[in-house]
Each structure stands twice: as structure tokens, then as C-alpha cells.
Amino acid sequence: MRAEGLIAAEDVLLFANAAITSTAQREFHSDAYEQHLSLAFLHAYMIGNYRDLYAATLALDINDHNAALIVRRLLETSAEATAEQRHTEGRLIARRLAALPPQRVYALFAALRRAKVNNRRTRAIMRDWLAARPDPAFDAVKYRNGVKKALRHAHLPALEKELGDFLFAPRARRQYGTPLLETWRRAHYEQAAVYELPFTVAEGFAARHGMNRAAFLERIAPRMTRLERLRLQGSARERGAKAVATDLTRVPLTRLATYVLGLSLDERSERREELTTALRVAAHRATGGERGWGRVAAVLDDSFSAYGSGQKRRRPLAVALAAHYLLEALADTYTPLWTSGRRDALLAFPHGSTPLGERILDALETGPDRLLIVSDGWDNAPPGLAAEVLRVWRTRLDPDGRVSVVHLNPVYDADGFDVRRLAPDVPTVGIRDAEDLPSLVGLAQFATGRTGPAELRAHLDSRVAAFLTTSEEAR
């Protein structure tokens, strides 16, 4: 096996971990500046040395922040790509942009504009993405500045003349034929029209008209998206606007776990049946029908560092809580072990040290087929015990690897340019959303050095093919 091939495989896995976990925001053990510098270096290193593999990571379960960064860097360096590379990159970029939230794409277009990236390839990608938007009038109202800047930067005409007038000369028309544009015009002087607009746009008009906040939230509730309802449910309930309530069973698993952890312990206890049911429904949906993982034990980190940071509040703990319910759905027999020793997952909160070694011993004593460890890897009670337990287990007690052990780390270590590992022989992969856990466990097989770069490249090729096929079928 050639040394350069092994190095390439290690570099790709290192970058994938970073692209899954880091959003260049403050973490418990590192500030935002350190995160930004570390992540920027990895992006520059990857595109400079492995352009094909760098683009291929768009097909992996990376977060939106890094997906947008990859797209931006590929477009900034179009002149350095071959014709074949540009073709493949164009398909990957188009597919990834279609999966990103529209506000994230408009922010990317604005970043390209500030960086003065305006080559033909960039203009074509912007044109095609804008043309594929299902409701141009909705985008024009909700993301008005983003649409205007994108059209100007790419030298594109508005799709319709009326839409162009709305964006660039809104006072040129006394009335609009498009209902939503006309509603926006009326909302300047008619309060009833405010309730027919998208929530984020209506909020601005409500403030301008001095409308009562509680009454506004209650009446605008039918126009909110599911996630807007979730974000505002608590504050609306405090103001008496009960209509903001949402169907929690339809919320994505990790986001739902974040919401649950934001509630007080008393409220979680009072709503135990509702919240537990919602989490289990979301977990079963996230399995995609996959079951039969056998006997599974999980070590779940709810130590104080699971609080995360002010920017990513309780995010590591939310991933652990969501993983708990997902593994419960995947396993035939499931044993959860929280580092705090608590047994009630719904009442989890960040507290105490991280005795990972002790909990791993407890987990292995249950005789599992799989052991999953969800932790930031800061083993400190006592330090290094987890690594020693795993070393002895793998080298002396289970050299044949009968028990599959995978460490899933939701926190990027800026100093190490990777997620923090527990032991050399135990695969560690980054995780941001618990929904990605099954596919990340599959990726973990490449993190121990037992498989070579050819197998990793084949895995990436299959992910890219599936990623692009999904896009074509969607059309």
C-alpha cells in the first residue's frame, strides 16, 4: 500500500470530520477565532492537494456551513480545474445547493459578490438555481435583498417584468397582479394584509404598525413554518399566544432534542408523555426503516462540557440525547449509560466530570454486539482511563473484533485539526446530527487504517453516485 495513498485517506477522513462538526463557532474548549483559523487551513489544504476528493465531500453528511465554503472555494478556483473536474463539480454543486436552505444559498451568493467571483461558471450556477426556485415571488418577498444582489451580480434579468419592478422599482406600479406582491404592497398601510405574508416579513410590518406582539403571534401562526413555530413556542406561551404550538412529532430528531433540552426540568417532567412520544416518533422516522442492530450499548456524555458554548448551546448534549432515542429504535436490545450515572434521559442536563472509562467498562460487561460512544472525547475522571480500557479490550480480550466499537464526536478540536479521539484502535468520526449516525458508523470503518485508500475512494464514489442520482430522480 503506497504511503501517499494512506496519507490521502487520512487527510480525507480528517477533513470530513471537521466538515461534519465545525461551524467556525465557539466550542467549550476553543473560541470562534481558533475554530475559524483551523477550519480555513483545512479547506485550503484540501483544495490545494485533493481537489477531486474535496469536491466529493459535498456528497457526505457535512454541515451547511462547510458545504457553502466548499462551493465557494470551488467557484473561486474554477480556472485551476480541468474540464472534466468542472463538469463533475458543477453537478455536485447544483445538487448541494438544491439541498441547502435558501437563506444559506443567498448568503453564499452575497459572499461570492463581495469576493468578486463572477466567472461564467458562477453565473450559470446562480442562474440555474434561481430558475429552479418553486416560487420566485415568495423569494422576492422573503429574501428581497438576496435576490436583488444575486440578479445584479450574475447580470440576470428578473424572471418576470413585474417581479423586476418589485425588486428594483417598487413604486413604479400602483398595483401588482401577483397576489403575494400585492399583499406586500397593501401591508404598508393595511394591518390585515400583514397576516397574509411570510412570518419573518410580517414581523417587520407588525413592528412598524405597533401591533400587539401576543395577538400578532396568535394570528400569524398559520403562516409559520414548523421550525418557526418551534422556536417561538416557549416565548409565545409566556405571552398567552397558545396558537403557536406545533406538532412535535414532525420535527427532525436532533432539532427536537435541542428544543427539549431548552425546557426546564419541571416542564419536561410535566410533558413527559408528549415529549417522549415525539422523540420516539422522530427517531423511528430517522431510521429510514433500518432495524436489527442486535445488542447495542451506548455511552452518552452528559458532563459539564456537553453544554457546548453560548453559540452552540447544549448542542453536544442534544446530539447525545437524539442518539439515545435513535439507538433505542435501531437496536434489538439497548443499554444506555450516561456519564453522570442518570437513568432518565429526558431529564438530562450538563453536569460533572467525564468518567468515560468507567462507563465503557460497564457497557462492555453487558456483552453488546455494538458499543457506541457519543462524547467530545475529554476523558478526565481519571484522565486516560477510557483509552487504556479500550486498548486492553481490543488487544487482549477481543482481538478478533467481535464487538464493534465506534466513537462519535460532536465537537471539533481546533488545536488538533480533527475531532478528539479516545484510542488509536477505536474509530472516531464527527457527528452533527444524530440522524446521520447510521451512515457515519459505516464511514467509521475507514478510520482505523484497516482498510486502504482504494476502499475509501470506492466508498466516496458510491456516495457521489447516489447523491447525484437522487438529484436527477427529483427532477
Side-chain angles (χ1 to χ4, degrees), residues 1 19 31 44 75 87 110 120 123 191 263 271 273-274 290 296 322 324 351 373 383 435 450 458 467 475:
M1 190 180 296
D31 61 30
L75 293 177
H87 174 71
R120 184 173 63 180
R123 294 196 301 272
Q191 290 191 15
L263 303 174
R271 300 172 61 189
E273 183 177 353
E274 173 199 1
E290 187 174 351
V296 175
H324 164 74
H351 179 74
I373 304 164
E435 293 90 321
R450 296 179 182 178
F467 188 66
R475 295 198 209 106

mmCIF file of all heavy atoms in Angstrom, residues 1 19 31 44 75 87 110 120 123 191 263 271 273-274 290 296 322 324 351 373 383 435 450 458 467 475:
data_model
loop_
_atom_site.group_PDB
_atom_site.id
_atom_site.type_symbol
_atom_site.label_atom_id
_atom_site.label_comp_id
_atom_site.label_asym_id
_atom_site.label_seq_id
_atom_site.Cartn_x
_atom_site.Cartn_y
_atom_site.Cartn_z
ATOM 1 N N MET A 1 0.851 -1.183 0.000
ATOM 2 C CA MET A 1 0.000 0.000 0.000
ATOM 3 C C MET A 1 0.892 1.239 0.000
ATOM 4 O O MET A 1 1.720 1.419 0.874
ATOM 5 C CB MET A 1 -0.897 0.013 1.228
ATOM 6 C CG MET A 1 -1.978 1.071 1.194
ATOM 7 S SD MET A 1 -2.969 0.976 2.693
ATOM 8 C CE MET A 1 -3.677 -0.661 2.467
ATOM 9 N N ALA A 19 -15.594 18.931 8.619
ATOM 10 C CA ALA A 19 -16.713 19.476 7.857
ATOM 11 C C ALA A 19 -18.062 19.035 8.411
ATOM 12 O O ALA A 19 -19.078 19.686 8.174
ATOM 13 C CB ALA A 19 -16.592 19.051 6.385
ATOM 14 N N ASP A 31 -12.239 28.982 21.179
ATOM 15 C CA ASP A 31 -13.081 30.115 20.792
ATOM 16 C C ASP A 31 -13.315 30.138 19.285
ATOM 17 O O ASP A 31 -12.757 29.331 18.530
ATOM 18 C CB ASP A 31 -12.486 31.433 21.283
ATOM 19 C CG ASP A 31 -11.106 31.723 20.698
ATOM 20 O OD1 ASP A 31 -10.831 31.292 19.565
ATOM 21 O OD2 ASP A 31 -10.298 32.394 21.375
ATOM 22 N N ALA A 44 -8.193 25.097 2.715
ATOM 23 C CA ALA A 44 -7.122 25.473 1.790
ATOM 24 C C ALA A 44 -6.222 24.277 1.473
ATOM 25 O O ALA A 44 -5.815 24.076 0.319
ATOM 26 C CB ALA A 44 -6.300 26.615 2.391
ATOM 27 N N LEU A 75 -15.745 27.492 -6.778
ATOM 28 C CA LEU A 75 -16.066 28.514 -7.776
ATOM 29 C C LEU A 75 -14.966 29.571 -7.858
ATOM 30 O O LEU A 75 -14.676 30.091 -8.940
ATOM 31 C CB LEU A 75 -17.401 29.168 -7.434
ATOM 32 C CG LEU A 75 -18.629 28.250 -7.556
ATOM 33 C CD1 LEU A 75 -19.895 28.981 -7.113
ATOM 34 C CD2 LEU A 75 -18.788 27.727 -8.975
ATOM 35 N N HIS A 87 -17.045 19.732 -14.849
ATOM 36 C CA HIS A 87 -18.331 19.067 -15.118
ATOM 37 C C HIS A 87 -18.848 18.363 -13.859
ATOM 38 O O HIS A 87 -20.013 18.540 -13.468
ATOM 39 C CB HIS A 87 -18.170 18.068 -16.262
ATOM 40 C CG HIS A 87 -19.400 17.251 -16.514
ATOM 41 N ND1 HIS A 87 -20.548 17.775 -17.067
ATOM 42 C CD2 HIS A 87 -19.670 15.932 -16.252
ATOM 43 C CE1 HIS A 87 -21.468 16.827 -17.154
ATOM 44 N NE2 HIS A 87 -20.967 15.705 -16.664
ATOM 45 N N ALA A 110 -24.000 36.230 -1.857
ATOM 46 C CA ALA A 110 -23.507 37.532 -1.391
ATOM 47 C C ALA A 110 -22.007 37.474 -1.113
ATOM 48 O O ALA A 110 -21.271 38.424 -1.406
ATOM 49 C CB ALA A 110 -24.267 37.947 -0.133
ATOM 50 N N ARG A 120 -17.943 32.807 -15.643
ATOM 51 C CA ARG A 120 -19.102 32.285 -16.375
ATOM 52 C C ARG A 120 -19.743 31.103 -15.661
ATOM 53 O O ARG A 120 -20.965 30.973 -15.622
ATOM 54 C CB ARG A 120 -18.667 31.868 -17.785
ATOM 55 C CG ARG A 120 -19.820 31.396 -18.661
ATOM 56 C CD ARG A 120 -19.357 31.169 -20.078
ATOM 57 N NE ARG A 120 -18.356 30.120 -20.154
ATOM 58 C CZ ARG A 120 -17.781 29.725 -21.295
ATOM 59 N NH1 ARG A 120 -18.099 30.324 -22.438
ATOM 60 N NH2 ARG A 120 -16.869 28.771 -21.290
ATOM 61 N N ARG A 123 -21.871 32.378 -12.754
ATOM 62 C CA ARG A 123 -23.120 32.985 -13.224
ATOM 63 C C ARG A 123 -24.117 31.913 -13.670
ATOM 64 O O ARG A 123 -25.323 32.034 -13.427
ATOM 65 C CB ARG A 123 -22.838 33.960 -14.368
ATOM 66 C CG ARG A 123 -22.040 35.182 -13.946
ATOM 67 C CD ARG A 123 -22.118 36.285 -15.000
ATOM 68 N NE ARG A 123 -21.607 35.860 -16.292
ATOM 69 C CZ ARG A 123 -20.321 35.952 -16.660
ATOM 70 N NH1 ARG A 123 -19.433 36.443 -15.809
ATOM 71 N NH2 ARG A 123 -19.939 35.566 -17.852
ATOM 72 N N GLN A 191 -53.233 46.671 8.083
ATOM 73 C CA GLN A 191 -52.767 45.664 9.028
ATOM 74 C C GLN A 191 -53.262 44.263 8.698
ATOM 75 O O GLN A 191 -52.559 43.276 8.926
ATOM 76 C CB GLN A 191 -53.199 46.030 10.452
ATOM 77 C CG GLN A 191 -52.466 47.239 11.018
ATOM 78 C CD GLN A 191 -52.713 47.421 12.499
ATOM 79 O OE1 GLN A 191 -53.202 46.513 13.168
ATOM 80 N NE2 GLN A 191 -52.361 48.598 13.020
ATOM 81 N N LEU A 263 -36.090 23.308 27.601
ATOM 82 C CA LEU A 263 -37.174 23.407 28.573
ATOM 83 C C LEU A 263 -36.638 23.169 29.983
ATOM 84 O O LEU A 263 -35.625 22.492 30.171
ATOM 85 C CB LEU A 263 -38.264 22.375 28.264
ATOM 86 C CG LEU A 263 -38.898 22.438 26.869
ATOM 87 C CD1 LEU A 263 -39.856 21.264 26.679
ATOM 88 C CD2 LEU A 263 -39.623 23.764 26.661
ATOM 89 N N ARG A 271 -44.523 17.339 30.881
ATOM 90 C CA ARG A 271 -44.878 16.981 29.498
ATOM 91 C C ARG A 271 -44.184 15.686 29.068
ATOM 92 O O ARG A 271 -43.986 15.454 27.891
ATOM 93 C CB ARG A 271 -44.485 18.122 28.558
ATOM 94 C CG ARG A 271 -45.164 19.448 28.862
ATOM 95 C CD ARG A 271 -44.587 20.587 28.034
ATOM 96 N NE ARG A 271 -44.749 20.379 26.614
ATOM 97 C CZ ARG A 271 -44.194 21.137 25.669
ATOM 98 N NH1 ARG A 271 -43.409 22.147 26.010
ATOM 99 N NH2 ARG A 271 -44.395 20.880 24.390
ATOM 100 N N GLU A 273 -44.927 12.484 28.703
ATOM 101 C CA GLU A 273 -45.533 11.596 27.706
ATOM 102 C C GLU A 273 -45.485 12.220 26.315
ATOM 103 O O GLU A 273 -45.121 11.566 25.334
ATOM 104 C CB GLU A 273 -46.976 11.293 28.096
ATOM 105 C CG GLU A 273 -47.658 10.309 27.145
ATOM 106 C CD GLU A 273 -49.066 9.949 27.583
ATOM 107 O OE1 GLU A 273 -49.474 10.360 28.698
ATOM 108 O OE2 GLU A 273 -49.753 9.252 26.813
ATOM 109 N N GLU A 274 -45.825 13.521 26.222
ATOM 110 C CA GLU A 274 -45.817 14.218 24.933
ATOM 111 C C GLU A 274 -44.413 14.254 24.332
ATOM 112 O O GLU A 274 -44.216 13.929 23.147
ATOM 113 C CB GLU A 274 -46.340 15.643 25.122
ATOM 114 C CG GLU A 274 -46.218 16.511 23.875
ATOM 115 C CD GLU A 274 -46.298 17.999 24.178
ATOM 116 O OE1 GLU A 274 -46.429 18.369 25.366
ATOM 117 O OE2 GLU A 274 -46.210 18.789 23.214
ATOM 118 N N GLU A 290 -34.442 1.099 8.864
ATOM 119 C CA GLU A 290 -33.341 0.225 9.276
ATOM 120 C C GLU A 290 -33.557 -0.257 10.701
ATOM 121 O O GLU A 290 -33.928 0.516 11.589
ATOM 122 C CB GLU A 290 -32.006 0.961 9.171
ATOM 123 C CG GLU A 290 -30.800 0.073 9.427
ATOM 124 C CD GLU A 290 -29.487 0.789 9.168
ATOM 125 O OE1 GLU A 290 -29.521 1.907 8.621
ATOM 126 O OE2 GLU A 290 -28.436 0.221 9.520
ATOM 127 N N VAL A 296 -27.071 -3.520 21.588
ATOM 128 C CA VAL A 296 -26.345 -2.252 21.491
ATOM 129 C C VAL A 296 -26.201 -1.635 22.880
ATOM 130 O O VAL A 296 -27.174 -1.568 23.642
ATOM 131 C CB VAL A 296 -27.071 -1.255 20.564
ATOM 132 C CG1 VAL A 296 -26.357 0.097 20.567
ATOM 133 C CG2 VAL A 296 -27.154 -1.812 19.147
ATOM 134 N N ALA A 322 -30.482 12.765 21.209
ATOM 135 C CA ALA A 322 -31.102 12.279 19.977
ATOM 136 C C ALA A 322 -30.561 10.900 19.604
ATOM 137 O O ALA A 322 -31.314 10.013 19.180
ATOM 138 C CB ALA A 322 -30.850 13.269 18.845
ATOM 139 N N HIS A 324 -29.510 8.666 21.646
ATOM 140 C CA HIS A 324 -30.115 7.717 22.585
ATOM 141 C C HIS A 324 -31.424 7.157 22.033
ATOM 142 O O HIS A 324 -31.640 5.939 22.003
ATOM 143 C CB HIS A 324 -30.352 8.421 23.918
ATOM 144 C CG HIS A 324 -31.298 7.712 24.834
ATOM 145 N ND1 HIS A 324 -30.956 6.572 25.531
ATOM 146 C CD2 HIS A 324 -32.603 7.977 25.152
ATOM 147 C CE1 HIS A 324 -32.001 6.173 26.247
ATOM 148 N NE2 HIS A 324 -33.001 7.002 26.035
ATOM 149 N N HIS A 351 -23.544 18.350 33.473
ATOM 150 C CA HIS A 351 -23.089 18.472 34.849
ATOM 151 C C HIS A 351 -21.966 17.469 35.127
ATOM 152 O O HIS A 351 -22.007 16.329 34.652
ATOM 153 C CB HIS A 351 -24.237 18.216 35.829
ATOM 154 C CG HIS A 351 -23.825 18.316 37.267
ATOM 155 N ND1 HIS A 351 -23.562 19.515 37.884
ATOM 156 C CD2 HIS A 351 -23.606 17.347 38.208
ATOM 157 C CE1 HIS A 351 -23.227 19.305 39.146
ATOM 158 N NE2 HIS A 351 -23.230 17.995 39.367
ATOM 159 N N ILE A 373 -20.067 5.260 21.455
ATOM 160 C CA ILE A 373 -19.692 6.264 22.451
ATOM 161 C C ILE A 373 -19.943 7.641 21.836
ATOM 162 O O ILE A 373 -19.350 7.984 20.818
ATOM 163 C CB ILE A 373 -18.216 6.131 22.845
ATOM 164 C CG1 ILE A 373 -17.918 4.713 23.345
ATOM 165 C CG2 ILE A 373 -17.842 7.165 23.908
ATOM 166 C CD1 ILE A 373 -16.433 4.373 23.397
ATOM 167 N N PRO A 383 -8.115 10.829 33.984
ATOM 168 C CA PRO A 383 -7.666 11.039 32.603
ATOM 169 C C PRO A 383 -7.011 9.790 32.017
ATOM 170 O O PRO A 383 -6.201 9.129 32.671
ATOM 171 C CB PRO A 383 -6.644 12.174 32.741
ATOM 172 C CG PRO A 383 -7.014 12.869 34.009
ATOM 173 C CD PRO A 383 -7.520 11.793 34.918
ATOM 174 N N GLU A 435 -29.327 11.994 13.184
ATOM 175 C CA GLU A 435 -29.941 11.319 12.042
ATOM 176 C C GLU A 435 -28.904 10.704 11.109
ATOM 177 O O GLU A 435 -29.193 9.752 10.374
ATOM 178 C CB GLU A 435 -30.819 12.303 11.246
ATOM 179 C CG GLU A 435 -32.045 12.798 11.982
ATOM 180 C CD GLU A 435 -31.796 14.064 12.784
ATOM 181 O OE1 GLU A 435 -30.708 14.178 13.391
ATOM 182 O OE2 GLU A 435 -32.676 14.933 12.821
ATOM 183 N N ARG A 450 -7.415 -0.048 8.834
ATOM 184 C CA ARG A 450 -7.517 -1.452 8.437
ATOM 185 C C ARG A 450 -7.982 -1.596 6.992
ATOM 186 O O ARG A 450 -7.856 -2.648 6.395
ATOM 187 C CB ARG A 450 -8.488 -2.178 9.370
ATOM 188 C CG ARG A 450 -8.001 -2.224 10.810
ATOM 189 C CD ARG A 450 -8.979 -2.925 11.725
ATOM 190 N NE ARG A 450 -8.519 -2.908 13.110
ATOM 191 C CZ ARG A 450 -9.185 -3.409 14.125
ATOM 192 N NH1 ARG A 450 -10.362 -3.982 13.907
ATOM 193 N NH2 ARG A 450 -8.705 -3.341 15.339
ATOM 194 N N ALA A 458 -13.602 4.108 -3.271
ATOM 195 C CA ALA A 458 -14.797 3.424 -3.776
ATOM 196 C C ALA A 458 -16.033 3.854 -2.991
ATOM 197 O O ALA A 458 -17.119 4.048 -3.558
ATOM 198 C CB ALA A 458 -14.611 1.909 -3.692
ATOM 199 N N PHE A 467 -25.736 10.382 -4.519
ATOM 200 C CA PHE A 467 -26.078 11.785 -4.308
ATOM 201 C C PHE A 467 -26.592 12.420 -5.595
ATOM 202 O O PHE A 467 -27.631 13.095 -5.610
ATOM 203 C CB PHE A 467 -24.826 12.502 -3.812
ATOM 204 C CG PHE A 467 -25.029 13.925 -3.365
ATOM 205 C CD1 PHE A 467 -25.795 14.217 -2.258
ATOM 206 C CD2 PHE A 467 -24.412 14.968 -4.051
ATOM 207 C CE1 PHE A 467 -25.948 15.527 -1.833
ATOM 208 C CE2 PHE A 467 -24.558 16.278 -3.628
ATOM 209 C CZ PHE A 467 -25.330 16.555 -2.519
ATOM 210 N N ARG A 475 -35.835 15.545 -10.255
ATOM 211 C CA ARG A 475 -36.310 16.357 -11.373
ATOM 212 C C ARG A 475 -37.445 15.677 -12.130
ATOM 213 O O ARG A 475 -38.211 16.276 -12.813
ATOM 214 C CB ARG A 475 -35.167 16.630 -12.349
ATOM 215 C CG ARG A 475 -34.056 17.476 -11.746
ATOM 216 C CD ARG A 475 -33.196 18.066 -12.843
ATOM 217 N NE ARG A 475 -31.841 18.255 -12.366
ATOM 218 C CZ ARG A 475 -30.806 17.499 -12.713
ATOM 219 N NH1 ARG A 475 -30.988 16.476 -13.532
ATOM 220 N NH2 ARG A 475 -29.611 17.737 -12.252
#
